[in-house]
Amino acid sequence: MQVTTEDVERFQEDGAILLEDVVSDLWIEKIRAGIQKNLDDPSKYSERLVLQEGQGAYFNDYCNWQKIPEFREFVFESGVGKLAADLMKSSYSVFYHEHVLNKEPGTTKSTPWHHDQSYYPIDGWNMISIWIPVDPVPLHSTLKFVKGSHKWDWFYPRKFASETNYPLETMNNNFNRVYRDVPVQEIDSGKYEILSWGCQPGDAVAFHGKMLHGAPGNSSETDHRRVLSVRWTGEGTVLASRPWKVSPPFLGSLKPGDVFHDDIFPLVYGNI
C-alpha cells in the first residue's frame, strides 16, 4: 500500500481522498470473510437501523478486531498502518478500532452528516479513517464529504438512529471548547463543495477525523454495501474528555492528556 506526495498533500488540504486499487484481492477476501463473521455474531455495541418494517437494514458494529482474526491480520500485516501514517504525515500510527458498516439492499436509512472525532475521546490533528468497501459502491450510494471541513469548528456528535445531538452528561469540556450543530440545511442547500467517489473492491477512501460526511441509503434491490473502516491516530494525539458518553466507550488505562497509545490501542507502525 503506497501513496504519492500528491496524495498526501491533497488529503491534508481537502480532508478526504480516493485511493484506487490499493487493497489487494487477498485482503479484500479476508475482510469480506471477517465482515461475515461480524454479521453472524455481532457484539453488544451493534445497531440494526430500519426506517420501516420490510426495508433493508443499516447494520454497524465496532471493536471486534481481537476476536475476528481476519481483521487483526489486516490491521497488523497489510501495511495499512504505514498508509495511515504517511497520509497523516506522522512518524507512527496507532490503531484505534475497526467499524463494520453494511447497508442491505433496499436500505433507506441514510448516514446523517457528522464528523467522527467529537464522538471519540481523542484530541489532536492526526486522526484518520480508511474506509474499505468489499462491494461495488455506485456514486449515488457512496460517502459524501464537505470539502475542507476538517479545518472547521468542532460539531456535536449525532445519533445515527434519531439524527439528534448527543445529550450532555457533564459540563466537563476541554479548553472551554465550543461545539456547534452540524449545519445540515446549509450542506443540503448546496452551499459547500461536496466530494464523493464511486468505488470498487480494492479502492479505499481516506478521510480526516474532523471531516463532515454522510451517505445515502442503498437503493439497490440485490447488492449489499459492506464496508470495513479502520481508524488510526498519529503524532500529537492524546486522550481527551468529552461532555457526553464517548463512542466507542473505551479508554484503556489512559487518563486525559496521555499520549493515545495503550494495549487496546496498539502501535502498528513506527515508534513513539
Side-chain angles (χ1 to χ4, degrees):
M1 294 185 181
Q2 295 183 339
V3 292
T4 66
T5 300
E6 180 184 355
D7 292 332
V8 174
E9 295 306 320
R10 191 159 70 254
F11 169 77
Q12 292 284 329
E13 179 64 24
D14 293 350
I17 185 173
L18 171 67
L19 302 169
E20 294 183 287
D21 200 25
V22 293
V23 185
S24 72
D25 291 345
L26 172 65
W27 286 118
I28 290 296
E29 287 304 316
K30 284 183 176 287
I31 292 170
R32 189 177 285 124
I35 289 173
Q36 190 58 52
K37 287 182 179 180
N38 198 169
L39 293 171
D40 291 342
D41 184 23
S43 80
K44 66 180 181 179
Y45 301 109
S46 65
E47 288 185 308
R48 193 173 184 275
L49 306 177
V50 181
L51 288 183
Q52 295 181 12
E53 188 172 349
Q55 294 180 344
Y58 177 15
F59 171 92
N60 77 91
D61 196 5
Y62 53 40
C63 299
N64 294 294
W65 64 272
Q66 291 172 307
K67 74 173 187 179
I68 298 179
E70 291 85 354
F71 291 169
R72 188 168 61 249
E73 291 170 15
F74 178 70
V75 166
F76 286 97
E77 299 175 18
S78 69
V80 66
K82 182 179 186 304
L83 178 78
D86 288 346
L87 288 169
M88 292 188 290
K89 293 186 175 181
S90 174
S91 63
Y92 68 83
S93 63
V94 166
F95 178 59
Y96 180 29
H97 70 277
E98 97 295 335
H99 199 167
V100 166
L101 307 129
N102 179 38
K103 289 184 176 176
E104 296 175 352
T107 299
T108 57
K109 180 70 181 93
S110 62
T111 306
W113 290 107
H114 68 287
H115 69 190
D116 292 344
Q117 200 165 342
S118 60
Y119 293 79
Y120 304 155
I122 300 170
D123 277 354
W125 176 252
N126 283 320
M127 173 90 227
I128 190 172
S129 292
I130 313 292
W131 188 89
I132 304 165
V134 300
D135 301 300
V137 182
L139 190 60
H140 60 77
S141 296
T142 197
L143 282 177
K144 300 181 186 300
F145 301 93
V146 180
K147 184 178 179 180
S149 58
H150 61 311
K151 300 176 183 178
W152 293 4
D153 296 329
W154 286 78
F155 297 100
Y156 287 105
R158 306 172 72 205
K159 292 182 176 294
F160 278 25
S162 65
E163 302 190 6
T164 57
N165 290 349
Y166 270 33
L168 296 176
E169 296 193 354
T170 174
M171 295 309 293
N172 186 10
N173 188 356
N174 288 1
F175 314 115
N176 296 313
R177 178 177 293 143
V178 174
Y179 292 89
R180 305 187 186 281
D181 293 337
V182 175
V184 175
Q185 291 184 340
E186 292 183 3
I187 296 170
D188 289 342
S189 74
K191 181 176 180 178
Y192 305 113
E193 184 176 352
I194 301 299
L195 301 175
S196 63
W197 304 276
C199 300
Q200 295 296 321
D203 296 344
V205 176
F207 59 96
H208 191 277
K210 286 187 65 198
M211 191 70 165
L212 283 171
H213 63 285
N218 178 13
S219 60
S220 172
E221 297 181 356
T222 56
D223 298 327
H224 287 250
R225 197 217 68 177
R226 295 169 294 176
V227 172
L228 178 71
S229 193
V230 283
R231 327 284 196 190
W232 304 84
T233 68
E235 289 180 64
T237 50
V238 298
L239 188 84
S241 58
R242 296 281 185 259
W244 41 73
K245 188 174 183 179
V246 295
S247 175
F250 304 117
L251 305 178
S253 62
L254 302 178
K255 304 181 298 297
D258 287 349
V259 172
F260 196 80
H261 172 229
D262 192 72
D263 289 346
I264 65 170
F265 311 128
L267 178 71
V268 173
Y269 173 78
N271 298 288
I272 296 178

